[in-house]
Amino acid sequence: MKRNTWQREAVRAALADNDGFVSAQALHASLREGGSSIGLATVYRALADLAEEGEADSLQQDGEALYRACTPGSHHHHLICRGCGLTVEIEADAVEQWARDVAAAHGFTRPEHVVDVFGLCAACAELQANPSPS
Amino acid sequence: MKRNTWQREAVRAALADNDGFVSAQALHASLREGGSSIGLATVYRALADLAEEGEADSLQQDGEALYRACTPGSHHHHLICRGCGLTVEIEADAVEQWARDVAAAHGFTRPEHVVDVFGLCAACAELQANPSPS
DNA sequence: TTATCTGCAAAGCATTTGCAATAGT
DNA sequence: ACTATTGCAAATGCTTTGCAGATAA
């Protein structure tokens, strides 16, 4: 059976404290800075578990896995700012349906999908237009 | 300026010869088997260039980058079999529109999106149901 | 000629794994 | 007690990089 260790709780909490996506490395570093003595491998293992149990979303970026807390069972997608990492949760019922349909139309079963939209948020777009403001 | 070497051509050709997504490693191996003496690093560099120039799609799976030839400028998505890697190109005009709308609704500009649907193709679903057929 | 590209081997990174010690239950 | 979990360090696997020699322009 799955045991309840303070390490797992720490990872769960650190993930919840964070608004955007975090890498395992970053999460481990921040836990260490917070005085925890948790090991890196443990963070990896905990995150993998959380993701499998549906308590965390994960996505791949630049060859590293990023995680984010999410309410169990709910399925949603993200709008992510390329500049500052700001993440907005988005509803995508229409896309869910479309994914199921397109999979079925080609004889595919057990469909899952990855849908993420990247862009520049208003603030970052502003920054890019005026690199040195005021 | 960008030079035209036989290595770059070889990578472009090998990619075009392949129907699904291929890893850099696999592409390098197949080129070597074909008698080429191209180096692994060169394959990586060529693929990165092709992807940047829009001549190749790329996606991340299991911590490795997969590439696939694509007609420059065209934008499409993929339905990928988790079992055998079979890839079907899918139209997603509705999703394109949705992505643009959702980005705009949140003040995001220059939207790009990642939309991939994974599933089990008919053949692989069959195999999983009957692990050792006839 | 000469700036870019190649190949090799050596890093570099994120992630995984083996194993003895530790700590839930 | 029993066994899952931890932490460390070593191992793995993909990708990048430094550099000397090759090569396209």
Side-chain angles (χ1 to χ4, degrees):
Chain A
M1 181 184 140
K2 195 140 290 179
R3 288 182 184 171
N4 229 6
T5 64
W6 65 265
Q7 286 95 333
R8 243 175 248 278
E9 271 319 312
V11 169
R12 205 198 307 273
L15 206 57
D17 272 352
N18 212 308
D19 268 348
F21 280 89
V22 217
S23 70
Q25 305 271 357
L27 206 59
H28 175 247
S30 99
L31 281 164
R32 285 294 190 133
E33 276 178 31
S36 172
S37 66
I38 193 171
L40 177 58
T42 304
V43 174
Y44 273 101
R45 292 190 268 236
L47 284 174
D49 285 353
L50 289 177
E52 188 164 1
E53 292 163 24
E55 293 194 56
D57 282 340
S58 74
L59 69 85
Q60 297 261 327
Q61 198 173 195
D62 293 324
E64 73 179 350
L66 302 183
Y67 298 88
R68 183 184 197 282
C70 80
T71 20
S74 100
H75 184 67
H76 45 251
H77 298 287
H78 300 97
L79 173 57
I80 303 152
C81 177
R82 270 196 303 272
C84 64
L86 170 71
T87 302
V88 181
E89 219 158 84
I90 52 186
E91 291 294 319
D93 291 342
V95 175
E96 306 290 317
Q97 189 57 52
W98 165 84
R100 269 192 293 274
D101 289 349
V102 96
H106 290 274
F108 278 57
T109 51
R110 298 191 37 211
E112 289 170 19
H113 53 272
V114 176
V115 173
D116 287 300
V117 183
F118 295 85
L120 270 188
C121 74
C124 289
E126 179 67 25
L127 270 180
Q128 273 207 354
N130 312 3
S132 49
S134 78
Chain B
M1 181 187 141
K2 195 139 290 179
R3 287 182 184 172
N4 228 5
T5 64
W6 65 265
Q7 287 96 331
R8 244 175 247 276
E9 271 317 313
V11 169
R12 205 198 306 272
L15 206 57
D17 274 353
N18 213 307
D19 269 347
F21 280 88
V22 217
S23 69
Q25 306 269 355
L27 205 61
H28 175 246
S30 101
L31 281 163
R32 286 293 191 132
E33 276 178 32
S36 172
S37 65
I38 193 171
L40 177 58
T42 304
V43 173
Y44 274 100
R45 292 189 267 234
L47 285 174
D49 284 353
L50 288 177
E52 189 166 359
E53 291 163 24
E55 293 195 54
D57 282 340
S58 74
L59 70 84
Q60 296 260 325
Q61 198 174 194
D62 293 325
E64 70 177 351
L66 303 182
Y67 297 87
R68 183 183 196 283
C70 81
T71 20
S74 103
H75 183 69
H76 45 250
H77 299 287
H78 299 98
L79 174 57
I80 304 153
C81 177
R82 271 195 301 273
C84 63
L86 168 72
T87 302
V88 181
E89 217 158 85
I90 52 186
E91 291 294 319
D93 291 343
V95 176
E96 306 290 317
Q97 189 57 52
W98 166 85
R100 269 192 295 273
D101 290 348
V102 100
H106 290 272
F108 278 57
T109 51
R110 296 192 36 213
E112 289 171 17
H113 53 273
V114 176
V115 174
D116 287 301
V117 183
F118 295 85
L120 270 186
C121 74
C124 288
E126 179 69 25
L127 271 180
Q128 274 206 352
N130 313 4
S132 48
S134 63

